[in-house]
Amino acid sequence: MRVVLRSAVLSVLIFIGCFSQAENFSGQVFTNGKIITVNQNFDIVEALAIRGGKFLAVGSNKQVLEAAGSNAEIIDLKGRTVIPGFIDGHAHMDREGLKFILPSLQGVHSIEDILAVVRQEVKNKKPGEWIVTMPIGDYPDFNKKPSQLKEKRYPTRWDLDRVAPNNPVYIKGRWFYWSFDSPIVSIANSYALKLAGISNETQAPYPALKILKNSLGVPNGIFEEPGPLTAIEYSLMKVAPRFSHQDRVDALIYSMQQYNTVGTTSVYEGHGVAPPVIQAYKELHEQGKLTVRSHLVMSPAWDTVAKVKPLTIMRNWASYLSGKGTGDELLRISGIYTAVGNSRVDDIRRKDSNYPNWSGFSVDVLLPKDRASLFDLLSASAKTNIRAHAITYLEKDIDQHLQVLEKVHQETPIDKKRFVMEHVSFVSEQNQHKIKKLGVIPTVIPGPMIWKSGLRQTRNLEPVKANTYVPLKSFVDKGIPFVIGTDNMPYNPLHALWASVTRVDATTGKVSSPEQRISRKEALKALTINAAYLSYEEDIKGSIEVGKLADMAILSKDYLTVPDEEIRHIEVLMTLLGGQVVFKSENY
């Protein structure tokens, strides 16, 4: 891994030169802190200075104050810890705000509670206007089961009709990955079913999608689908209103605010971003409203592209997707999400490829096998210098992907292209060596994969096998620059750091694969400088060093010394993006 970092000594030398004329200084000086630079030596210093959106000096109180002179705005950190702004390596940031766009069914305990929410919405609607709500349940999972409601069942079309006879009502199904629980349930009232053309004779578009009925064979308005992806809003309930462009813009604004509150200053969207979401990012960028630096990977909508070979298409895309891509320090797009395959659900969803719904990525992101193989797709990526990203959650996917990449590498070397494997889980010793050889960057999601499911995945395995599950320590020992992401579950990077350091299981409190625990230092690197390396930006961000973008977070407690359990409860007191405050806690 090539990371161009300067030591504290070099910082001081540059620092002295920058402040040869202190009277011209206009910026901020932070003193009396514990500033974790995450530079090459992982130095800890007392003070820093910011000017023009960049770190102008890093060193001791005396050095910074003497050089800054009397014109500096001085902020006394009072011993608080400062870290580089978090770079979430797998964020899905746009999705967070979508949880708050629609009317909420938060805190409902009965069908009557649900009807009360719908009744209130009716007051604000004209007859015939749609009412679309969030799924039944509480933030962030939205997964209230029938047994948790007073009536021990979900509301039916007839229940909803009682309060909204003149408005179509649709209760959306949740995003499967919020809870990893099936089935996904959505509900429509009689007016909505009529508009959708659903009758006693209506057949489901594929067998696993269930149209529930009463004893007389009449649809009761409840639909069930297995996870992870649903087809209901692309088929039977396609008539229901969808997230609009303005919804996505408003949601993204809210999302950025929330990510700023936890110290996140940059995100990397390696799973791919669909064109409608990219458009929301672009609009906010043009308006100067981005408060999180965003690196977007293209999520190709293959069914909107003529059925020609990937290499032909990607040669055209290379002008803006190759290498570091196109954009600036706030918004950049490069690379492509790659996957090959199809299913009945995919076939249904791909008929409406320009609507990503909850996902954020294109629904026809899978390149049909009849158009190209995985080798064809990755080979085209290598030849056009458009680096490939892939979700390799299953061990068989990692095996297959690395085998194909080895063949591609023989044809077109990729070891300098920083291809990405996301959501890695079980990574054998052999595959770890392949990752190292091919220069592939693995991204890991400690929240859902270690905290929520680590013990469930490993408890019945032999120790040697269990030790390959999200093998962070093995990555460290082999010098593999892995990156940590939150996957928006939860979006707090400090929770991801805690899960990486402790590997504590959410249900039992026990530790999964304890030999794979890593130090706090290595975990922090994976959410800062390693993540900057992921986006070819290790020279401009990811650490607190002279000349880099002044992205940083001030913490309520010392990340390096608090008891393990307190790591995830550390509060971010202030977040700065390019030296500008984008979040300030009431407690600061």
Side-chain angles (χ1 to χ4, degrees):
M1 169 181 176
R2 185 183 67 86
V3 181
V4 181
L5 298 169
R6 289 172 281 259
S7 68
V9 173
L10 182 56
S11 295
V12 171
L13 293 176
I14 295 176
F15 163 89
I16 293 171
C18 287
F19 289 105
S20 58
Q21 297 182 2
E23 66 273 12
N24 295 324
F25 178 79
S26 176
Q28 306 145 293
V29 173
F30 292 81
T31 62
N32 299 317
K34 180 176 181 179
I35 299 168
I36 305 172
T37 64
V38 196
N39 67 6
Q40 195 167 31
N41 298 322
F42 211 81
D43 291 320
I44 296 175
V45 299
E46 291 179 302
L48 61 84
I50 296 172
R51 186 171 70 181
K54 296 182 178 181
F55 293 117
L56 197 63
V58 179
S60 69
N61 285 334
K62 184 175 184 296
Q63 291 165 334
V64 174
L65 289 170
E66 284 181 355
S70 59
N71 293 332
E73 176 191 358
I74 300 174
I75 297 98
D76 187 350
L77 291 167
K78 298 181 179 179
R80 295 186 179 94
T81 297
V82 177
I83 60 172
F86 288 122
I87 305 172
D88 190 333
H90 190 102
H92 292 297
M93 182 171 68
D94 65 287
R95 190 180 299 150
E96 182 63 22
L98 289 178
K99 298 175 182 177
F100 301 92
I101 289 293
L102 301 174
S104 171
L105 297 178
Q106 175 89 10
V108 298
H109 299 290
S110 66
I111 290 175
E112 290 304 316
D113 289 344
I114 296 170
L115 298 184
V117 173
V118 176
R119 184 183 293 111
Q120 185 60 40
E121 291 300 312
V122 169
K123 294 179 181 179
N124 300 320
K125 299 286 185 179
K126 297 177 182 178
E129 288 188 320
W130 277 87
I131 296 169
V132 181
T133 77
M134 285 297 290
I136 298 172
D138 299 339
Y139 172 89
D141 295 335
F142 304 98
N143 188 34
K144 182 153 286 187
K145 301 179 185 301
S147 60
Q148 295 173 299
L149 294 174
K150 179 181 178 181
E151 297 84 356
K152 308 300 180 184
R153 65 176 178 85
Y154 286 130
T156 65
R157 62 189 289 185
W158 300 291
D159 292 317
L160 296 172
D161 290 347
R162 284 196 282 126
V163 294
N166 300 316
N167 295 88
V169 177
Y170 181 61
I171 299 175
K172 283 179 72 74
R174 61 186 158 73
W175 180 242
F176 171 81
Y177 294 106
W178 289 335
S179 65
F180 290 89
D181 190 43
S182 287
I184 299 169
V185 174
S186 54
I187 308 171
N189 73 345
S190 296
Y191 199 149
L193 293 176
K194 180 180 179 181
L195 293 178
I198 296 174
S199 66
N200 298 6
E201 289 73 38
T202 300
Q203 297 296 311
Y206 72 107
L209 195 165
K210 304 297 183 184
I211 305 173
L212 302 191
K213 299 181 180 182
N214 66 8
S215 59
L216 299 177
V218 179
N220 66 9
I222 300 175
F223 305 95
E224 292 183 350
E225 285 189 87
L229 301 178
T230 66
I232 184 74
E233 291 180 34
Y234 296 87
S235 55
L236 296 177
M237 289 304 299
K238 187 176 180 178
V239 68
R242 299 171 164 192
F243 293 124
S244 67
H245 170 70
Q246 193 58 48
D247 286 339
R248 294 196 183 277
V249 170
D250 294 341
L252 189 53
I253 291 173
Y254 180 82
S255 292
M256 289 188 294
Q257 293 171 350
Q258 297 308 110
Y259 277 62
N260 288 154
T261 68
V262 292
T264 298
T265 55
S266 295
V267 296
Y268 191 90
E269 300 292 1
H271 199 151
V273 178
V277 183
I278 293 176
Q279 188 59 39
Y281 273 97
K282 284 185 62 180
E283 181 173 316
L284 291 175
H285 184 33
E286 291 166 359
Q287 296 173 0
K289 294 181 179 179
L290 290 183
T291 63
V292 177
R293 305 185 195 280
S294 304
H295 192 115
L296 314 180
V297 170
M298 179 180 174
S299 176
W302 289 111
D303 289 320
T304 64
V305 180
K307 293 189 176 182
V308 295
K309 294 181 178 180
L311 182 58
T312 303
I313 300 169
M314 292 170 72
R315 279 175 175 157
N316 293 326
W317 292 345
S319 60
Y320 58 93
L321 292 181
S322 64
K324 296 181 180 181
T326 305
D328 57 25
E329 294 167 350
L330 272 174
L331 181 62
R332 183 168 293 277
I333 180 170
S334 76
I336 186 173
Y337 177 77
T338 57
V340 172
N342 61 279
S343 69
R344 185 69 184 107
V345 173
D346 293 320
D347 291 340
I348 294 169
R349 289 164 61 89
R350 70 173 69 249
K351 293 177 181 178
D352 204 0
S353 61
N354 206 37
Y355 179 62
N357 202 358
W358 293 117
S359 67
F361 46 82
S362 298
V363 298
D364 57 347
V365 69
L366 292 178
L367 180 64
K369 292 181 179 179
D370 60 359
R371 288 188 60 181
S373 67
L374 182 59
F375 174 83
D376 295 331
L377 184 54
L378 294 177
S379 175
S381 180
K383 288 176 178 177
T384 56
N385 197 31
I386 300 176
R387 64 176 178 155
H389 301 66
I391 299 295
T392 51
Y393 177 76
L394 299 176
E395 188 172 16
K396 67 179 181 63
D397 294 334
I398 296 178
D399 290 340
Q400 178 194 32
H401 203 75
L402 287 173
Q403 288 171 9
V404 173
L405 284 179
E406 283 187 310
K407 294 179 181 178
V408 170
H409 181 64
Q410 293 174 0
E411 174 187 84
T412 307
I414 65 169
D415 55 315
K416 306 298 182 184
K417 296 183 183 295
R418 306 188 191 185
F419 278 26
V420 185
M421 293 177 65
E422 319 225 15
H423 271 277
V424 298
S425 57
F426 288 97
V427 189
S428 66
E429 278 287 322
Q430 182 182 19
N431 283 341
Q432 290 171 35
H433 288 293
K434 289 181 181 180
I435 286 173
K436 174 78 171 179
K437 172 188 172 184
L438 296 170
V440 171
I441 304 173
T443 67
V444 298
I445 317 296
M449 296 184 67
I450 297 177
W451 176 59
K452 279 192 173 182
S453 58
L455 201 64
R456 176 167 53 84
Q457 293 281 359
T458 60
R459 61 189 170 193
N460 296 322
L461 300 177
E462 293 293 327
V464 173
K465 179 68 173 180
N467 202 44
T468 65
Y469 183 70
V470 194
L472 303 184
K473 186 61 165 61
S474 296
F475 289 156
V476 170
D477 294 342
K478 291 180 176 63
I480 297 172
F482 71 94
V483 174
I484 287 175
T486 69
D487 204 24
N488 191 241
M489 298 188 294
Y491 60 84
N492 187 351
L494 285 156
H495 188 282
L497 290 176
W498 167 79
S500 303
V501 169
T502 66
R503 299 186 72 103
V504 169
D505 180 73
T507 304
T508 65
K510 296 180 180 179
V511 176
S512 65
S513 307
E515 293 181 10
Q516 291 300 333
R517 287 178 291 195
I518 56 174
S519 70
R520 301 184 192 198
K521 170 183 173 180
E522 295 297 341
L524 184 58
K525 287 170 60 178
L527 261 163
T528 53
I529 191 62
N530 285 12
Y533 177 80
L534 178 65
S535 61
Y536 293 101
E537 294 175 303
E538 68 271 21
D539 292 340
I540 66 169
K541 67 181 184 182
S543 60
I544 298 175
E545 298 187 82
V546 171
K548 287 194 172 185
L549 296 168
D551 300 348
M552 68 185 216
I554 302 173
L555 307 181
S556 63
K557 295 182 180 180
D558 184 359
Y559 163 73
L560 294 178
T561 62
V562 296
D564 284 351
E565 180 55 32
E566 292 186 27
I567 293 174
R568 60 175 170 165
H569 301 301
I570 294 174
E571 181 185 0
V572 173
L573 299 176
M574 184 183 287
T575 304
L576 288 85
L577 182 81
Q580 300 297 312
V581 176
V582 291
F583 168 72
K584 183 178 179 181
S585 168
E586 294 178 354
N587 297 326
Y588 189 41

